[in-house]
Coordinates of all heavy atoms in Angstrom, one line a residue:
M1266 N 91.6 108.9 39.6 CA 91.3 110.0 40.4 C 92.6 110.7 40.9 O 93.1 110.5 42.0 CB 90.5 109.5 41.7 CG 89.2 109.0 41.3 SD 88.1 108.4 42.5 CE 88.4 109.3 44.0
E1267 N 93.2 111.4 40.0 CA 94.4 112.1 40.3 C 94.1 113.3 41.2 O 93.0 113.9 41.1 CB 95.1 112.6 39.0 CG 95.7 111.5 38.2 CD 96.4 112.0 37.0 OE1 97.0 113.1 37.1 OE2 96.4 111.3 36.0
G1268 N 95.0 113.6 42.1 CA 94.9 114.8 42.9 C 94.2 114.5 44.2 O 94.1 115.3 45.1
T1269 N 93.6 113.3 44.4 CA 92.9 113.0 45.6 C 93.8 112.2 46.5 O 94.7 111.5 46.0 CB 91.6 112.2 45.4 OG1 92.0 110.9 44.7 CG2 90.6 112.9 44.5
V1270 N 93.6 112.4 47.8 CA 94.5 111.7 48.8 C 93.7 110.6 49.4 O 92.5 110.8 49.8 CB 95.0 112.7 49.8 CG1 95.8 112.0 50.9 CG2 95.8 113.8 49.2
D1271 N 94.2 109.4 49.4 CA 93.6 108.3 50.1 C 93.4 108.6 51.5 O 94.4 109.1 52.2 CB 94.5 107.1 49.9 CG 93.9 105.8 50.6 OD1 92.7 105.8 50.8 OD2 94.7 104.9 50.9
P1272 N 92.2 108.5 52.1 CA 92.0 108.9 53.5 C 92.9 108.1 54.5 O 93.4 108.6 55.5 CB 90.5 108.5 53.8 CG 89.9 108.4 52.4 CD 91.0 108.1 51.4
M1273 N 93.2 106.8 54.1 CA 94.1 106.1 55.0 C 95.5 106.6 55.0 O 96.1 106.7 56.0 CB 94.0 104.6 54.6 CG 94.7 103.7 55.6 SD 93.9 103.9 57.2 CE 94.0 102.3 57.8
T1274 N 95.9 107.0 53.8 CA 97.3 107.7 53.7 C 97.3 108.9 54.6 O 98.3 109.2 55.3 CB 97.6 108.0 52.3 OG1 97.6 106.7 51.5 CG2 99.0 108.6 52.1
S1275 N 96.3 109.7 54.5 CA 96.2 111.0 55.3 C 96.3 110.7 56.8 O 97.0 111.4 57.5 CB 94.9 111.7 54.9 OG 94.8 112.9 55.7
V1276 N 95.5 109.7 57.2 CA 95.5 109.3 58.6 C 96.9 108.8 59.0 O 97.4 109.2 60.1 CB 94.5 108.3 58.9 CG1 94.6 107.7 60.3 CG2 93.1 108.8 58.7
L1277 N 97.5 108.0 58.2 CA 98.9 107.5 58.5 C 99.9 108.6 58.6 O 100.8 108.6 59.4 CB 99.3 106.4 57.5 CG 98.5 105.1 57.7 CD1 98.9 104.1 56.5 CD2 98.8 104.4 59.0
T1278 N 99.8 109.5 57.6 CA 100.7 110.7 57.6 C 100.6 111.5 58.9 O 101.6 111.9 59.5 CB 100.5 111.5 56.4 OG1 100.7 110.7 55.2 CG2 101.4 112.7 56.3
R1279 N 99.4 111.8 59.3 CA 99.2 112.6 60.5 C 99.7 111.8 61.7 O 100.2 112.4 62.7 CB 97.7 112.9 60.7 CG 97.3 114.0 59.7 CD 95.9 114.6 60.1 NE 94.9 113.7 60.3 CZ 93.9 113.3 59.5 NH1 93.9 113.9 58.3 NH2 93.0 112.4 59.8
L1280 N 99.4 110.5 61.7 CA 99.9 109.7 62.9 C 101.4 109.7 63.0 O 102.0 109.8 64.0 CB 99.4 108.2 62.7 CG 99.6 107.3 63.9 CD1 98.9 107.8 65.1 CD2 99.0 105.9 63.5
I1281 N 102.1 109.5 61.8 CA 103.6 109.6 61.8 C 104.1 110.9 62.3 O 105.0 111.0 63.1 CB 104.1 109.2 60.4 CG1 103.8 107.8 60.1 CG2 105.5 109.6 60.2 CD1 104.0 107.4 58.6
Q1282 N 103.4 112.0 61.8 CA 103.8 113.3 62.3 C 103.6 113.5 63.8 O 104.5 114.1 64.5 CB 103.1 114.4 61.5 CG 103.5 114.5 60.1 CD 102.6 115.4 59.3 OE1 101.5 115.8 59.8 NE2 103.0 115.7 58.1
W1283 N 102.5 112.9 64.3 CA 102.3 113.0 65.7 C 103.4 112.3 66.5 O 103.9 112.8 67.5 CB 100.9 112.4 66.0 CG 100.5 112.5 67.5 CD1 100.1 113.6 68.2 CD2 100.5 111.4 68.4 NE1 99.8 113.2 69.5 CE2 100.1 111.9 69.6 CE3 100.9 110.1 68.3 CZ2 100.0 111.1 70.7 CZ3 100.8 109.3 69.4 CH2 100.4 109.8 70.6
F1284 N 103.7 111.1 66.0 CA 104.8 110.3 66.7 C 106.1 111.0 66.6 O 106.9 111.0 67.6 CB 104.9 108.9 66.1 CG 103.9 107.9 66.7 CD1 103.0 107.3 65.9 CD2 103.9 107.6 68.0 CE1 102.0 106.4 66.4 CE2 103.0 106.7 68.5 CZ 102.0 106.1 67.7
R1285 N 106.4 111.7 65.5 CA 107.6 112.4 65.4 C 107.7 113.6 66.4 O 108.7 113.8 67.1 CB 107.8 113.0 64.0 CG 108.2 112.0 63.0 CD 108.5 112.6 61.6 NE 108.8 111.5 60.7 CZ 108.7 111.7 59.4 NH1 108.2 112.8 58.9 NH2 109.0 110.7 58.6
R1286 N 106.6 114.3 66.5 CA 106.5 115.4 67.5 C 106.7 114.9 68.9 O 107.5 115.5 69.7 CB 105.1 116.1 67.4 CG 105.0 117.0 66.3 CD 103.7 117.8 66.4 NE 103.5 118.5 65.1 CZ 102.7 118.1 64.1 NH1 102.1 117.0 64.2 NH2 102.6 118.8 63.0
I1287 N 106.1 113.8 69.3 CA 106.2 113.2 70.6 C 107.7 112.8 70.8 O 108.3 113.0 71.9 CB 105.3 112.0 70.8 CG1 103.8 112.4 70.7 CG2 105.6 111.3 72.1 CD1 103.4 113.4 71.8
S1288 N 108.2 112.1 69.8 CA 109.6 111.6 70.0 C 110.6 112.8 70.1 O 111.5 112.7 71.0 CB 110.0 110.8 68.7 OG 111.3 110.4 68.7
L1289 N 110.4 113.8 69.3 CA 111.3 115.0 69.4 C 111.1 115.7 70.8 O 112.1 116.1 71.4 CB 111.1 115.9 68.3 CG 111.6 115.4 66.9 CD1 111.1 116.3 65.8 CD2 113.1 115.3 66.9
A1290 N 109.9 115.8 71.3 CA 109.7 116.4 72.5 C 110.3 115.6 73.7 O 111.0 116.2 74.6 CB 108.2 116.6 72.8
R1291 N 110.2 114.3 73.6 CA 110.9 113.5 74.6 C 112.4 113.6 74.5 O 113.1 113.7 75.6 CB 110.5 112.0 74.4 CG 109.1 111.8 74.9 CD 108.8 110.3 74.7 NE 107.4 110.0 75.3 CZ 106.8 108.9 75.1 NH1 107.3 107.9 74.4 NH2 105.6 108.8 75.6
A1292 N 112.9 113.6 73.3 CA 114.4 113.8 73.2 C 114.9 115.1 73.7 O 115.9 115.2 74.3 CB 114.8 113.6 71.7
L1293 N 114.1 116.2 73.4 CA 114.5 117.5 73.9 C 114.4 117.6 75.5 O 115.3 118.1 76.1 CB 113.6 118.6 73.3 CG 114.0 120.0 73.6 CD1 115.4 120.3 73.1 CD2 113.0 121.0 72.9
R1294 N 113.4 117.0 76.0 CA 113.3 116.9 77.5 C 114.4 116.2 78.1 O 115.0 116.6 79.1 CB 111.9 116.3 77.9 CG 111.7 116.3 79.4 CD 110.3 115.8 79.8 NE 109.9 114.7 79.1 CZ 108.8 114.6 78.4 NH1 107.9 115.6 78.5 NH2 108.4 113.5 77.7
S1295 N 114.8 115.0 77.5 CA 115.9 114.2 78.0 C 117.2 115.0 77.9 O 118.0 115.0 78.8 CB 116.0 112.9 77.2 OG 117.1 112.2 77.5
T1296 N 117.4 115.7 76.8 CA 118.6 116.5 76.6 C 118.7 117.6 77.6 O 119.7 117.9 78.2 CB 118.6 117.0 75.2 OG1 118.6 115.9 74.2 CG2 119.9 117.8 74.9
A1297 N 117.5 118.2 77.9 CA 117.5 119.3 78.9 C 117.9 118.8 80.2 O 118.6 119.5 81.0 CB 116.1 120.0 78.9
L1298 N 117.4 117.6 80.6 CA 117.8 117.0 81.9 C 119.2 116.7 81.9 O 119.9 117.0 82.9 CB 116.9 115.8 82.2 CG 115.4 116.0 82.5 CD1 114.7 114.7 82.5 CD2 115.3 116.8 83.8
D1299 N 119.8 116.1 80.9 CA 121.2 115.9 80.8 C 122.0 117.1 80.9 O 123.1 117.2 81.6 CB 121.6 115.2 79.5 CG 121.1 113.7 79.5 OD1 120.8 113.2 80.5 OD2 121.2 113.1 78.4
M1300 N 121.5 118.2 80.3 CA 122.2 119.5 80.4 C 122.3 120.0 81.8 O 123.3 120.5 82.3 CB 121.6 120.5 79.4 CG 121.9 120.3 78.0 SD 120.9 121.3 76.8 CE 121.4 122.9 77.3
A1301 N 121.1 119.9 82.5 CA 121.0 120.4 83.9 C 122.0 119.6 84.8 O 122.7 120.2 85.6 CB 119.6 120.3 84.4
V1302 N 122.0 118.3 84.6 CA 122.9 117.5 85.5 C 124.4 117.8 85.1 O 125.2 118.0 86.0 CB 122.6 116.0 85.2 CG1 123.7 115.1 85.9 CG2 121.3 115.7 85.8
T1303 N 124.7 118.0 83.8 CA 126.1 118.3 83.4 C 126.5 119.6 84.0 O 127.6 119.8 84.4 CB 126.2 118.2 81.9 OG1 125.8 116.9 81.5 CG2 127.6 118.5 81.4
R1304 N 125.6 120.6 83.9 CA 125.9 122.0 84.4 C 126.2 121.9 85.9 O 127.1 122.6 86.4 CB 124.8 122.9 84.1 CG 124.7 123.4 82.7 CD 123.7 124.6 82.6 NE 123.7 125.0 81.2 CZ 122.7 124.9 80.4 NH1 121.6 124.4 80.7 NH2 122.8 125.4 79.1
E1305 N 125.4 121.1 86.6 CA 125.6 121.0 88.1 C 127.0 120.3 88.4 O 127.7 120.8 89.2 CB 124.5 120.1 88.7 CG 124.6 120.0 90.2 CD 124.4 121.3 91.0 OE1 123.8 122.2 90.5 OE2 125.0 121.3 92.1
H1306 N 127.3 119.3 87.6 CA 128.6 118.6 87.8 C 129.7 119.5 87.5 O 130.7 119.6 88.2 CB 128.7 117.3 87.0 CG 127.8 116.2 87.5 ND1 127.6 115.1 86.8 CD2 127.1 116.1 88.7 CE1 126.8 114.3 87.5 NE2 126.5 114.9 88.6
L1307 N 129.5 120.3 86.4 CA 130.5 121.3 86.0 C 130.8 122.3 87.1 O 131.9 122.7 87.4 CB 130.2 121.9 84.7 CG 131.1 122.9 84.1 CD1 132.5 122.3 83.8 CD2 130.6 123.5 82.8
S1308 N 129.7 122.9 87.6 CA 129.9 123.9 88.6 C 130.5 123.3 89.9 O 131.4 124.0 90.5 CB 128.5 124.5 89.0 OG 127.7 123.6 89.7
M1309 N 130.2 122.1 90.2 CA 130.9 121.5 91.4 C 132.4 121.3 91.1 O 133.2 121.5 92.0 CB 130.2 120.2 91.8 CG 128.8 120.3 92.4 SD 128.1 118.8 93.0 CE 128.1 117.7 91.6
A1310 N 132.7 120.8 89.9 CA 134.1 120.6 89.6 C 134.9 121.9 89.5 O 136.0 122.0 90.0 CB 134.2 119.9 88.2
E1311 N 134.3 122.9 89.0 CA 134.9 124.3 88.9 C 135.1 124.8 90.3 O 136.2 125.4 90.6 CB 134.1 125.2 88.1 CG 134.2 124.9 86.6 CD 133.3 125.7 85.7 OE1 132.3 126.3 86.2 OE2 133.6 125.9 84.5
A1312 N 134.2 124.6 91.2 CA 134.3 125.0 92.6 C 135.5 124.2 93.3 O 136.2 124.8 94.1 CB 133.0 124.8 93.4
D1313 N 135.6 122.9 92.9 CA 136.7 122.1 93.5 C 138.0 122.6 93.1 O 139.0 122.5 93.8 CB 136.5 120.7 93.1 CG 135.4 119.9 93.8 OD1 134.9 120.5 94.8 OD2 135.0 118.8 93.4
L1314 N 138.1 123.2 91.8 CA 139.4 123.7 91.4 C 139.8 125.0 92.2 O 141.0 125.2 92.3 CB 139.3 124.1 89.9 CG 139.3 123.0 88.9 CD1 139.1 123.6 87.5 CD2 140.6 122.2 89.0
E1315 N 138.9 125.7 92.7 CA 139.2 126.9 93.5 C 139.8 126.6 94.9 O 140.4 127.4 95.5 CB 138.0 127.8 93.6 CG 137.5 128.3 92.3 CD 136.2 129.1 92.4 OE1 135.7 129.3 93.5 OE2 135.7 129.5 91.3
V1316 N 139.6 125.3 95.3 CA 140.1 124.9 96.6 C 141.6 124.4 96.4 O 141.9 123.9 95.4 CB 139.3 123.7 97.1 CG1 139.8 123.2 98.5 CG2 137.8 124.1 97.3
G1317 N 142.4 124.7 97.3 CA 143.8 124.3 97.2 C 143.9 122.8 97.4 O 143.9 122.2 98.5
L1318 N 144.0 122.1 96.2 CA 144.2 120.6 96.2 C 145.5 120.2 95.8 O 146.2 120.9 95.1 CB 143.1 120.0 95.3 CG 141.6 120.3 95.6 CD1 140.8 119.9 94.5 CD2 141.3 119.5 96.9
P1319 N 145.9 119.0 96.2 CA 147.2 118.5 95.7 C 147.2 118.4 94.1 O 146.2 118.3 93.5 CB 147.3 117.1 96.2 CG 146.3 117.0 97.4 CD 145.3 118.1 97.0
P1320 N 148.4 118.6 93.5 CA 148.5 118.7 92.1 C 147.9 117.5 91.3 O 147.2 117.7 90.3 CB 150.0 118.8 91.8 CG 150.6 119.3 93.0 CD 149.7 118.8 94.1
E1321 N 148.1 116.3 91.8 CA 147.5 115.1 91.1 C 146.0 115.1 91.1 O 145.4 114.8 90.1 CB 148.0 113.8 91.7 CG 147.7 113.5 93.1 CD 148.6 114.2 94.1 OE1 149.6 114.9 93.7 OE2 148.4 113.9 95.3
I1322 N 145.4 115.6 92.2 CA 143.9 115.7 92.2 C 143.5 116.9 91.3 O 142.5 116.9 90.6 CB 143.4 115.9 93.6 CG1 143.7 114.6 94.4 CG2 141.9 116.2 93.7 CD1 143.4 114.7 95.9
H1323 N 144.2 118.0 91.4 CA 143.9 119.2 90.6 C 143.9 118.9 89.1 O 143.0 119.3 88.4 CB 144.9 120.3 90.9 CG 144.6 121.6 90.3 ND1 143.7 122.5 90.8 CD2 145.1 122.2 89.1 CE1 143.6 123.5 90.0 NE2 144.5 123.4 89.0
W1324 N 144.9 118.1 88.6 CA 144.9 117.7 87.2 C 143.7 116.9 86.8 O 143.1 117.0 85.8 CB 146.2 117.0 86.9 CG 147.4 117.9 86.9 CD1 148.4 118.0 87.7 CD2 147.6 119.0 85.9 NE1 149.3 119.0 87.4 CE2 148.8 119.6 86.3 CE3 146.9 119.5 84.8 CZ2 149.3 120.7 85.6 CZ3 147.5 120.6 84.1 CH2 148.6 121.2 84.5
D1325 N 143.3 115.9 87.7 CA 142.1 115.1 87.5 C 140.9 115.9 87.3 O 140.0 115.7 86.5 CB 142.0 114.0 88.6 CG 143.0 112.9 88.5 OD1 143.6 112.8 87.4 OD2 143.1 112.2 89.5
I1326 N 140.7 116.9 88.2 CA 139.6 117.7 88.2 C 139.6 118.6 86.9 O 138.5 118.8 86.3 CB 139.4 118.6 89.5 CG1 139.2 117.6 90.7 CG2 138.3 119.6 89.4 CD1 139.2 118.3 92.0
Q1327 N 140.7 119.1 86.6 CA 140.8 119.9 85.4 C 140.4 119.1 84.1 O 139.7 119.6 83.3 CB 142.3 120.5 85.2 CG 142.5 121.7 85.9 CD 143.9 122.3 85.5 OE1 144.9 121.6 85.3 NE2 143.9 123.6 85.5
R1328 N 140.9 117.9 84.1 CA 140.5 117.0 83.0 C 138.9 116.8 83.0 O 138.3 116.8 82.0 CB 141.2 115.6 83.1 CG 140.9 114.7 81.9 CD 141.3 113.3 82.2 NE 140.5 112.7 83.2 CZ 140.9 112.1 84.3 NH1 142.2 112.1 84.6 NH2 140.1 111.6 85.2
D1329 N 138.4 116.6 84.2 CA 136.9 116.4 84.3 C 136.2 117.7 83.8 O 135.2 117.6 83.1 CB 136.5 116.1 85.7 CG 136.9 114.8 86.2 OD1 137.3 113.9 85.4 OD2 136.9 114.5 87.4
V1330 N 136.7 118.9 84.2 CA 136.1 120.1 83.7 C 136.1 120.2 82.2 O 135.1 120.6 81.6 CB 136.8 121.3 84.4 CG1 136.4 122.6 83.7 CG2 136.5 121.4 85.8
V1331 N 137.2 119.9 81.6 CA 137.3 119.9 80.1 C 136.3 119.0 79.5 O 135.6 119.3 78.5 CB 138.8 119.6 79.6 CG1 138.8 119.4 78.2 CG2 139.7 120.7 80.1
E1332 N 136.2 117.7 80.0 CA 135.3 116.8 79.5 C 133.8 117.2 79.7 O 133.0 117.0 78.8 CB 135.5 115.4 80.2 CG 136.8 114.7 79.8 CD 137.1 113.5 80.6 OE1 136.3 113.1 81.5 OE2 138.1 112.9 80.3
L1333 N 133.5 117.8 80.9 CA 132.2 118.3 81.1 C 131.8 119.4 80.2 O 130.7 119.5 79.7 CB 132.0 118.7 82.6 CG 132.0 117.5 83.6 CD1 132.2 118.0 85.0 CD2 130.7 116.7 83.5
R1334 N 132.7 120.3 80.0 CA 132.5 121.4 79.0 C 132.2 120.9 77.6 O 131.3 121.4 76.9 CB 133.6 122.4 79.0 CG 133.7 123.3 80.3 CD 134.8 124.2 80.3 NE 134.8 125.0 81.5 CZ 135.9 125.7 81.9 NH1 137.0 125.6 81.2 NH2 135.8 126.4 83.0
A1335 N 133.0 119.9 77.2 CA 132.8 119.3 75.9 C 131.4 118.6 75.8 O 130.7 118.7 74.8 CB 133.9 118.3 75.6
R1336 N 131.1 117.9 76.9 CA 129.7 117.2 76.9 C 128.6 118.3 76.9 O 127.6 118.1 76.2 CB 129.6 116.4 78.2 CG 128.3 115.7 78.4 CD 128.3 114.7 79.4 NE 127.0 114.2 79.8 CZ 126.2 113.5 79.0 NH1 126.6 113.1 77.8 NH2 125.0 113.1 79.4
L1337 N 128.8 119.3 77.6 CA 127.7 120.4 77.6 C 127.6 121.0 76.3 O 126.5 121.2 75.8 CB 128.1 121.4 78.7 CG 127.0 122.5 78.9 CD1 125.7 121.9 79.4 CD2 127.5 123.5 80.0
A1338 N 128.7 121.3 75.6 CA 128.6 121.8 74.2 C 127.9 120.8 73.3 O 127.1 121.3 72.4 CB 130.0 122.1 73.7
A1339 N 128.2 119.6 73.4 CA 127.5 118.6 72.6 C 126.1 118.5 72.9 O 125.2 118.4 71.9 CB 128.2 117.2 72.8
L1340 N 125.7 118.6 74.1 CA 124.3 118.6 74.5 C 123.5 119.8 73.9 O 122.4 119.8 73.5 CB 124.1 118.5 76.0 CG 124.4 117.1 76.6 CD1 124.5 117.2 78.1 CD2 123.4 116.1 76.2
V1341 N 124.2 121.0 74.0 CA 123.6 122.2 73.4 C 123.4 122.1 71.9 O 122.3 122.4 71.4 CB 124.5 123.4 73.8 CG1 124.0 124.7 73.0 CG2 124.4 123.7 75.3
A1342 N 124.4 121.5 71.3 CA 124.3 121.3 69.8 C 123.1 120.3 69.5 O 122.3 120.5 68.6 CB 125.6 120.7 69.3
R1343 N 123.0 119.3 70.4 CA 121.9 118.3 70.2 C 120.5 119.0 70.4 O 119.6 118.7 69.6 CB 122.1 117.1 71.2 CG 121.0 116.1 71.0 CD 121.3 114.9 71.9 NE 120.3 113.8 71.6 CZ 119.6 113.2 72.5 NH1 119.7 113.5 73.8 NH2 118.7 112.3 72.1
A1344 N 120.4 119.8 71.4 CA 119.2 120.5 71.6 C 118.8 121.4 70.5 O 117.7 121.5 70.1 CB 119.3 121.3 73.0
D1345 N 119.8 122.1 70.0 CA 119.6 123.0 68.8 C 119.1 122.2 67.6 O 118.2 122.6 66.9 CB 120.8 123.8 68.4 CG 121.2 124.8 69.5 OD1 120.3 125.2 70.3 OD2 122.4 125.3 69.5
Y1346 N 119.7 121.0 67.4 CA 119.3 120.1 66.3 C 117.9 119.6 66.4 O 117.1 119.7 65.5 CB 120.3 119.0 66.1 CG 119.9 118.0 65.1 CD1 120.0 118.3 63.7 CD2 119.3 116.8 65.4 CE1 119.6 117.4 62.7 CE2 118.9 115.9 64.4 CZ 119.1 116.2 63.1 OH 118.7 115.3 62.1
I1347 N 117.5 119.2 67.6 CA 116.2 118.8 67.9 C 115.2 119.9 67.7 O 114.1 119.7 67.1 CB 116.1 118.2 69.3 CG1 116.9 116.9 69.5 CG2 114.6 117.9 69.7 CD1 117.1 116.4 70.9
R1348 N 115.5 121.1 68.1 CA 114.6 122.2 67.9 C 114.4 122.5 66.4 O 113.3 122.9 66.0 CB 115.1 123.5 68.6 CG 114.9 123.4 70.1 CD 115.3 124.7 70.8 NE 115.5 124.5 72.2 CZ 116.6 124.4 72.8 NH1 117.7 124.6 72.1 NH2 116.7 124.2 74.1
S1349 N 115.5 122.4 65.6 CA 115.4 122.6 64.2 C 114.6 121.6 63.6 O 113.8 121.8 62.6 CB 116.8 122.7 63.5 OG 117.4 121.4 63.5
C1350 N 114.7 120.3 64.1 CA 113.8 119.3 63.5 C 112.3 119.5 63.9 O 111.4 119.3 63.0 CB 114.2 117.9 64.1 SG 115.8 117.3 63.5
Q1351 N 112.1 120.0 65.1 CA 110.7 120.4 65.5 C 110.2 121.5 64.6 O 109.0 121.4 64.2 CB 110.7 120.8 67.0 CG 110.8 119.6 67.9 CD 110.8 120.1 69.4 OE1 111.4 121.2 69.7 NE2 110.2 119.3 70.2
A1352 N 111.0 122.4 64.3 CA 110.6 123.6 63.5 C 110.2 123.2 62.1 O 109.4 123.8 61.4 CB 111.6 124.7 63.5
S1353 N 110.9 122.1 61.6 CA 110.7 121.7 60.2 C 109.5 120.8 60.0 O 109.0 120.6 58.9 CB 111.9 121.0 59.7 OG 112.0 119.7 60.3
L1354 N 108.9 120.4 61.1 CA 107.6 119.6 61.0 C 106.5 120.4 60.6 O 106.4 121.6 61.0 CB 107.3 118.9 62.4 CG 108.2 117.8 62.8 CD1 107.8 117.3 64.2 CD2 108.1 116.6 61.8
P1355 N 105.6 119.9 59.8 CA 104.5 120.6 59.3 C 103.5 120.9 60.5 O 103.4 120.2 61.4 CB 103.8 119.8 58.2 CG 104.5 118.4 58.3 CD 105.7 118.6 59.2

């Protein structure tokens, strides 16, 4: 019986696709929360830079800002990748 699909295979395929959708949705939600927290920390660190602080503290905060910006960029890239995976699902 060529061309026919085993009903059990069809059910398993749909179940796997459903789990993928759920997993990707959870990953995207988690990434969005991480992005929100990182943005908040970044805005606080940038505000701290505007205050006249001693040089040693200023350099630490500048380093934190650079790290937070890099983390935010990585999270944006991760969210884009998750969205592309979601779009590729049937």
Side-chain angles (χ1 to χ4, degrees):
M1266 294 182 30
E1267 288 184 35
T1269 61
V1270 176
D1271 177 25
M1273 192 56 145
T1274 301
S1275 178
V1276 168
L1277 288 175
T1278 300
R1279 286 195 309 261
L1280 189 59
I1281 290 168
Q1282 289 171 349
W1283 181 77
F1284 278 117
R1285 283 183 182 158
R1286 282 188 190 96
I1287 296 295
S1288 176
L1289 289 171
R1291 286 181 177 170
L1293 188 59
R1294 182 176 42 233
S1295 172
T1296 301
L1298 289 172
D1299 286 347
M1300 287 170 62
V1302 169
T1303 302
R1304 282 189 179 115
E1305 182 64 25
H1306 289 169
L1307 181 59
S1308 69
M1309 289 187 306
E1311 288 173 337
D1313 287 345
L1314 282 177
E1315 295 174 6
V1316 178
L1318 297 170
E1321 61 276 1
I1322 296 173
H1323 186 79
W1324 287 111
D1325 286 342
I1326 294 173
Q1327 276 187 322
R1328 186 193 66 236
D1329 291 347
V1330 166
V1331 169
E1332 290 172 1
L1333 287 166
R1334 285 179 181 161
R1336 176 168 169 69
L1337 187 57
L1340 288 168
V1341 168
R1343 181 175 187 230
D1345 290 343
Y1346 175 74
I1347 293 169
R1348 285 187 199 102
S1349 72
C1350 288
Q1351 286 177 321
S1353 71
L1354 287 176

